[in-house]
Amino acid sequence: MANASGFFTHPSFPSLRSRTHVPIGVSGSGLCMPKGISKRVLCSVGGAEKHASPSPSESRSPRVVAKGCKLIGCGSAKRLYWNLEVLNCANESDTSEWISTRTGIRSRRVLSGEDSLTGLAIQASAKALEMAEVDPEDIDLVLMCTSTPDDIFGTAPQIQKALGCTKNPLSYDITAACSGFVLGLVSAACHIRGGGFKNVLVIGADSLSRFVDWTDRGSCILFGDAAGAVVVQACDVEDDGLFSFDLHSDGDGRRHLNASLIEAQKDDASGTNGSVLGDFPPQQPSYSCIQMNGKEVFRFAVKCVPQSIESALQKAGLPSSSIDWLLLHQANQRIIDGVATRLKFPPERVISNLAGYGNTSAASIPLALDEAVRSGKVKPGHTIATSGFGAGLTWGSAIIRWR
């Protein structure tokens, strides 16, 4: 199984290794077989080794398949709305300059009434599939990373249907706010390496503008709406493009960044809202606007993110000098600059499109990646250190190679 440090372990591996005398390497990205047996399936059944698929009666026996995965396509979608227009309600003069100085944001994208987050996710996914040259029918899994779905039960199945994935692949949502896309990448790798999946569509999409208090200048200046997607494909272990990862969470930090459920107030006129049992039926709740302690979130990010990236680099066995690009969740330019400084990454090797979009939560990393790829900045073979961080609190990093 996979643990949070980015290593894959299995309780039966030591005995399997001792009996077969096959050196099985464990890397931050999964199980690595020696080159000569990278496609070999090893089964341990009743103390005997077999080099074949187990029968149904043997299905509970451990099976090890060395497989890699790589990113082969990306896409994004967004809408345009300028800060100066939307922030008049914050009662700020010279709004755009005030925002830009403190955050690095100059414009953002906000969904209008006729748009939906699901629609943006579908557009981004279609572009990723086109770049990857993968037919929707060949998708084995759709992961929708979002904290603001159009349907509380999840929207991944609707995306799967709209794209024309006629083989009914597994589709589900991942809720981890601004860390969601990195968790989606790791989940895709786990499905490919452990489940035999071949093509996984990972989407990061959020519409945080729906949960912003537009009179609170501390938070309303930050958030925008967008979607980004990548196609992760199985490959030989020698071509693996997810070198390592490092994942964490700390529930104690929830008080610094949340959008909690709030109970509806009872109708004073009726007392029990028609109930004969006092508290039944339950009142219909709603979610609060985003509550954020900006100073604490900043401290958390500039401390934990560099540590996480350094840990991922160590697991990958790579020095920071081997990284072509640093790609962080686009939360605030001061955070991006602070993390880059601590890691000693030169500004010219840091990807940032925050100025044009603001904080788009789970969409920010795939959105920035898509722009960097399509502009020619990120090229095939480039290695990227990426990290997401935010509500939960959650944070995670991955060392990846583009194509």
Side-chain angles (χ1 to χ4, degrees), residues 65-99:
V65 181
K67 208 69 180 172
C69 61
K70 58 183 179 180
L71 281 69
I72 62 169
C74 58
S76 61
K78 55 270 181 182
R79 295 289 182 267
L80 178 61
Y81 214 75
W82 291 98
N83 273 326
L84 190 57
E85 297 177 62
V86 298
L87 289 189
N88 286 335
C89 55
N91 298 318
E92 286 295 329
S93 59
D94 197 16
T95 303
S96 292
E97 188 59 34
W98 186 87
I99 295 169

Side-chain angles (χ1 to χ4, degrees), residues 259-279:
S260 302
L261 196 69
I262 53 177
E263 296 294 332
Q265 297 295 319
K266 288 186 177 181
D267 186 345
D268 292 335
S270 61
T272 61
N273 194 27
S275 169
V276 295
L277 298 177
D279 291 328

Side-chain angles (χ1 to χ4, degrees), residues 29 67-72 185 189 193 232-245 316 318 381-386 398-403:
S29 57
K67 208 69 180 172
C69 61
K70 58 183 179 180
L71 281 69
I72 62 169
L185 281 181
R193 295 189 173 108
V232 183
Q233 187 174 75
C235 64
D236 291 337
V237 69
E238 295 88 350
D239 299 321
D240 191 20
L242 176 56
F243 302 137
S244 64
F245 60 86
L318 295 174
H382 279 184
T383 302
I384 304 167
T386 186
I399 309 301
I400 61 177
R401 180 175 58 220
W402 174 246
R403 305 192 85 163

Side-chain angles (χ1 to χ4, degrees), residues 95-245:
T95 303
S96 292
E97 188 59 34
W98 186 87
I99 295 169
S100 178
T101 300
R102 287 159 179 77
T103 68
I105 300 169
R106 290 196 172 275
S107 65
R108 286 169 301 165
R109 316 295 172 112
V110 177
L111 287 175
S112 60
E114 63 269 19
D115 297 320
S116 71
L117 187 66
T118 303
L120 285 187
I122 292 168
Q123 292 177 40
S125 299
K127 293 176 182 177
L129 289 171
E130 181 181 16
M131 180 185 290
E133 298 182 346
V134 171
D135 191 275
E137 291 190 357
D138 294 326
I139 290 295
D140 303 304
L141 172 66
V142 177
L143 300 176
M144 173 63 161
C145 307
T146 184
S147 295
T148 56
D150 292 330
D151 187 322
I152 195 172
F153 292 146
T155 54
Q158 285 71 52
I159 297 168
Q160 166 226 303
K161 177 184 176 182
L163 290 172
C165 304
T166 57
K167 295 180 181 178
N168 299 322
L170 173 65
S171 306
Y172 63 89
D173 286 24
I174 294 176
T175 302
C178 305
S179 304
F181 180 75
V182 171
L183 298 185
L185 281 181
V186 174
S187 297
C190 291
H191 280 285
I192 289 172
R193 295 189 173 108
F197 289 65
K198 295 182 179 179
N199 294 298
V200 180
L201 178 64
V202 183
I203 308 160
D206 266 311
S207 178
L208 290 183
S209 67
R210 298 170 175 172
F211 297 93
V212 166
D213 178 356
W214 291 99
T215 65
D216 175 14
R217 71 176 186 177
S219 62
C220 71
I221 64 175
L222 298 174
F223 299 105
D225 309 332
V230 299
V231 176
V232 183
Q233 187 174 75
C235 64
D236 291 337
V237 69
E238 295 88 350
D239 299 321
D240 191 20
L242 176 56
F243 302 137
S244 64
F245 60 86

Side-chain angles (χ1 to χ4, degrees), residues 288-358:
S288 69
C289 292
I290 296 171
Q291 308 294 315
M292 183 178 68
N293 183 329
K295 291 183 179 179
E296 289 300 325
V297 172
F298 179 89
R299 291 192 186 101
F300 144 71
V302 297
K303 175 185 177 182
C304 293
V305 173
Q307 293 173 350
S308 179
I309 292 175
E310 288 174 339
S311 177
L313 285 169
Q314 183 179 16
K315 292 166 189 172
L318 295 174
S320 60
S321 59
S322 68
I323 301 301
D324 296 295
W325 301 103
L326 177 65
L327 173 53
L328 305 179
H329 162 52
Q330 307 288 293
N332 183 305
Q333 192 60 46
R334 288 181 175 179
I335 292 178
I336 295 173
D337 293 342
V339 172
T341 298
R342 292 203 177 193
L343 292 172
K344 298 181 180 179
F345 270 89
E348 62 271 16
R349 287 168 53 197
V350 178
I351 296 174
S352 176
N353 68 348
L354 178 74
Y357 304 102

